[in-house]
Amino acid sequence: MSATLPTDLRTKRVSTTESPWVRNTLIGIALAFLFLFLLLPLAAVFTEALRKGVGAYLDALKEPDAWSAIRLTLITAAIAVPLNLVFGVAAAWCIAKYEFRGKAFLTTLVDLPFSVSPVVAGLIYVLVFGAQGWLGPWLAEHNIKIVFAVPGIVLATIFVTFPFIARELIPLMQAQGNEEEQAAIVLGATGWQTFWYVTLPNIKWGLIYGVILCNARAMGEFGAVSVVSGHIRGQTNTMPLHVEILYNEYQSVAAFAVASLLALLAVVTLVIKSAAEWKQERDMKATAEMPPERPMAMEATV
């Protein structure tokens, strides 16, 4: 019976494996899709940006309004990503490590920005902080500007990006359980020591992956930011909004020059993401290949 088992396994493997032409067809369709909808548009962006030469490309990026848009985009991401990092870790820790009433409702709230249109999110902030909004008169009396100013852009960006880090960490923490944290606490570790030396090393790659996605979305957000920004050139326009204005004014070279920076951001994000995934897989493989530790009792007898 043991002699026929490999034959049976080979028969099952052959019966469940696609024929070469099916496999090659699927690979060809996937490559054609990637070329038509990813590589070709990406190449078109850089081709159009450099259509009038490198000089015109650099001049478009040196323009004051372009620099203002780039600076505002970086400032917005620099504020939104760290805040979402803190919130994502706290929410994932709470949901994955504890059982409490309302846990399912909290998880649903974390996913809310995925189901709400970014334009609707922007309108919500206008309704709350706008001149005719709920807090508008009070803000006007105290000379505080939220809508059509940088704070409104930051708030809208935080809203549309805060699920990314939490959603990367929640399933990871749930799969890992809390046995290691409990063991560290029993051994006398404080809460901060437990997080820093036990939890963080276990979630670092998921955390990096979530931060990368959050940063990419923060820099490329258009809908919510468009509603709350007011499109004030040189003041409240981020890079995506500046690209739209230039394109509507038929300044195609300048528009694609700024868009190429966003495209470069996407490429860099993919490279960092791939490097993080490769490093994670290598670490997991190295951990799996490590020999099991011998019990202390066996070592004492030896």
Side-chain angles (χ1 to χ4, degrees):
M1 186 171 181
S2 60
T4 61
L5 184 58
T7 304
D8 295 340
L9 291 177
R10 287 196 298 269
T11 303
K12 291 180 180 179
R13 189 183 308 134
V14 171
S15 62
T16 56
T17 301
E18 298 85 358
S19 58
W21 73 268
V22 174
R23 183 169 60 252
N24 294 333
T25 301
L26 293 176
I27 294 174
I29 293 174
L31 292 177
F33 186 88
L34 290 175
F35 177 78
L36 290 175
F37 295 99
L38 181 62
L39 297 180
L40 190 60
L42 190 63
V45 169
F46 289 98
T47 301
E48 186 65 22
L50 297 171
R51 182 166 55 88
K52 294 185 178 180
V54 178
Y57 177 84
L58 296 177
D59 289 339
L61 298 180
K62 292 178 182 178
E63 202 265 333
D65 289 344
W67 269 110
S68 176
I70 295 171
R71 183 170 58 252
L72 180 57
T73 302
L74 295 177
I75 291 174
T76 302
I79 297 174
V81 174
L83 291 178
N84 283 326
L85 173 63
V86 175
F87 167 80
V89 173
W93 180 290
C94 180
I95 293 173
K97 303 297 183 180
Y98 299 99
E99 294 295 333
F100 54 91
R101 182 176 299 178
K103 179 178 178 178
F105 180 70
L106 178 59
T107 305
T108 302
L109 289 180
V110 172
D111 293 333
L112 184 62
F114 286 145
S115 58
V116 175
S117 170
V119 175
V120 175
L123 290 175
I124 291 173
Y125 284 105
V126 173
L127 176 63
V128 176
F129 300 110
Q132 305 301 323
W134 297 342
L135 302 179
W138 183 87
L139 293 173
E141 290 178 2
H142 294 80
N143 197 26
I144 300 175
K145 295 190 65 176
I146 302 295
V147 178
F148 306 149
V150 175
I153 295 173
V154 173
L155 289 175
T157 304
I158 291 174
F159 178 85
V160 299
T161 57
F162 81 81
F164 286 91
I165 297 177
R167 262 297 152 203
E168 288 297 324
L169 295 181
I170 289 174
L172 180 60
M173 286 186 171
Q174 288 176 336
Q176 291 175 350
N178 58 2
E179 290 81 6
E180 294 185 11
E181 286 84 356
Q182 292 178 354
I185 293 175
V186 170
L187 293 175
T190 63
W192 175 253
Q193 290 173 334
T194 301
F195 172 77
W196 188 258
Y197 294 104
V198 178
T199 304
L200 187 60
N202 290 334
I203 66 172
K204 62 180 180 180
W205 294 117
L207 187 62
I208 293 173
Y209 184 58
V211 169
I212 292 171
L213 294 180
C214 181
N215 182 71
R217 178 62 186 274
M219 289 190 175
E221 175 56 31
F222 179 85
V225 172
S226 177
V227 175
V228 301
S229 69
H231 293 268
I232 305 174
R233 298 187 69 157
Q235 297 183 29
T236 62
N237 276 341
T238 58
M239 291 171 62
L241 301 183
H242 189 60
V243 170
E244 182 199 28
I245 290 177
L246 293 176
Y247 189 78
N248 289 336
E249 294 177 349
Y250 302 100
Q251 302 182 44
S252 59
V253 173
F256 281 100
V258 179
S260 68
L261 295 181
L262 292 172
L264 284 175
L265 170 66
V267 173
V268 172
T269 300
L270 289 176
V271 171
I272 297 175
K273 169 182 170 294
S274 300
E277 291 178 343
W278 173 79
K279 185 67 167 59
Q280 181 183 13
E281 292 178 359
R282 192 181 68 172
D283 290 348
M284 294 178 61
K285 184 178 180 181
T287 302
E289 292 177 352
M290 290 178 60
E293 297 182 0
R294 295 189 299 174
M296 295 297 295
M298 293 181 59
E299 293 180 359
T301 56
V302 174

